[in-house]
Amino acid sequence: MARRSGAEAAEVHAPMDCRGRYLIPETRELLIQAAGYGADKLQGRPPSVGEFSSPSQFQLLKELHSSATGSVHLAKIKDPQSRLKDVVVLKKRKVPELGKAKDMFNEYEVMKRLSHPNIIRCYGYFWEFPSQCLYIVLEYANRGDLHGELQTRKRLGKHFSDNEVWDVLAQVLRGLRHIHARGIVHRDIKTMNLLLNDEGVIKLGDFGVSRQMSENTVCLHSFYGTPLYLSPELIEGALEFAPKPSGN
């Protein structure tokens, strides 16, 4: 089969979104015209999912993180008619390479399958062609992460009570049960990726290295995680994981 050029591929994939609905003509033309700016990185996906399509729709309130590959901002939607009234997190990633685009799309593809009180919600994504940046719009947990909460309490001398520890653990396990039931492995559970809102609800976040298991996947061989939070098996070099026989 002959390989299509970027422009041809864009023209084939542009008319329909991920739910099989036809895109408006303006969006289709935008994708075709932008083929030279990296439309190949979309891999057949629509240029946006959700109600957002441009960073100009957001008022940036505060920078939460910045690096050479992108930034994370606290943002407010400018449109008063938007269904999202709360402040959101706008995650921007520069995607100069196709492989990195796949990683970013992986985070969205995983999160769109999840809907649970103990998991950060994902509201969609959009692609900005001229800058070759991918934006993901996420729920904002206004008390920050568990790592910051621990540091604050340590500084103030107000440690977690036993009941609070059990409550945090139970919430994390409920979130993990939800993703595991859908064949998803997070692969980077740590205090920095456990977020809190003002009601004390724990939410699993940052699914950047997560993996959607297929029906044919028995075990994982890849090595991911943060050194101080790795399991003993990974530290000892066991790179293959599978359920152990029960002995019955």
Side-chain angles (χ1 to χ4, degrees):
M1 182 181 292
R3 187 175 181 179
R4 296 187 180 94
S5 66
E8 290 173 333
E11 190 166 2
V12 170
H13 293 301
M16 301 183 75
D17 70 6
C18 64
R19 296 182 181 178
R21 300 175 300 191
Y22 283 96
L23 297 172
I24 58 175
E26 291 82 1
T27 303
R28 179 177 181 274
E29 289 302 316
L30 172 64
L31 184 55
I32 294 172
Q33 293 170 11
Y37 289 97
D40 59 309
K41 295 182 177 66
L42 292 175
Q43 295 288 286
R45 299 176 179 87
S48 65
V49 170
E51 62 178 283
F52 308 110
S53 59
S54 168
S56 63
Q57 294 175 270
F58 299 85
Q59 176 187 350
L60 302 184
L61 303 176
K62 179 182 179 182
E63 184 177 81
L64 303 177
H65 175 74
S66 180
S67 68
T69 59
S71 60
V72 180
H73 280 86
L74 197 59
K76 183 178 181 181
I77 295 95
K78 294 180 180 179
D79 184 3
Q81 303 302 317
S82 172
R83 64 184 178 86
L84 291 177
K85 305 301 181 185
D86 298 328
V87 171
V88 298
V89 169
L90 187 61
K91 192 173 184 178
K92 172 186 176 182
R93 285 293 180 270
K94 299 174 184 177
V95 191
E97 301 171 14
L98 179 58
K100 292 182 179 179
K102 289 180 179 178
D103 291 341
M104 282 293 291
F105 278 119
N106 173 69
E107 182 172 9
Y108 168 74
E109 295 291 343
V110 166
M111 295 191 75
K112 76 176 184 180
R113 296 182 174 92
L114 305 173
S115 179
H116 191 274
N118 297 118
I119 296 174
I120 287 290
R121 293 183 62 189
C122 180
Y123 300 119
Y125 74 81
F126 58 91
W127 180 270
E128 187 181 44
F129 289 103
S131 63
Q132 295 200 37
C133 287
L134 183 66
Y135 292 79
I136 296 181
V137 186
L138 301 166
E139 175 187 4
Y140 173 52
N142 55 7
R143 272 178 60 185
D145 58 44
L146 186 58
H147 178 78
E149 181 78 7
L150 287 167
Q151 296 301 313
T152 298
R153 290 191 177 220
K154 181 179 179 180
R155 187 173 63 253
L156 298 176
K158 297 180 179 180
H159 302 291
F160 279 94
S161 66
D162 288 349
N163 286 338
E164 287 177 312
V165 171
W166 283 113
D167 181 53
V168 168
L169 180 60
Q171 292 189 65
V172 172
L173 291 176
R174 283 195 288 268
L176 288 174
R177 180 175 61 185
H178 181 77
I179 69 173
H180 291 170
R182 284 149 185 80
I184 295 169
V185 184
H186 189 283
R187 300 203 287 185
D188 197 20
I189 295 295
K190 56 185 178 182
T191 53
M192 287 79 83
N193 290 339
L194 300 176
L195 309 171
L196 300 94
N197 65 13
D198 56 4
E199 297 176 349
V201 177
I202 297 287
K203 294 176 178 285
L204 276 63
D206 197 347
F207 284 77
V209 297
S210 60
R211 168 79 180 272
Q212 173 70 62
M213 306 279 281
S214 69
E215 294 181 357
N216 299 322
T217 305
V218 177
C219 58
L220 295 178
H221 301 270
S222 51
F223 187 101
Y224 281 96
T226 303
L228 292 179
Y229 291 85
L230 291 176
S231 66
E233 307 92 85
L234 278 174
I235 294 173
E236 291 172 359
L239 299 182
E240 183 173 308
F241 304 97
K244 294 183 178 180
S246 62
N248 295 331

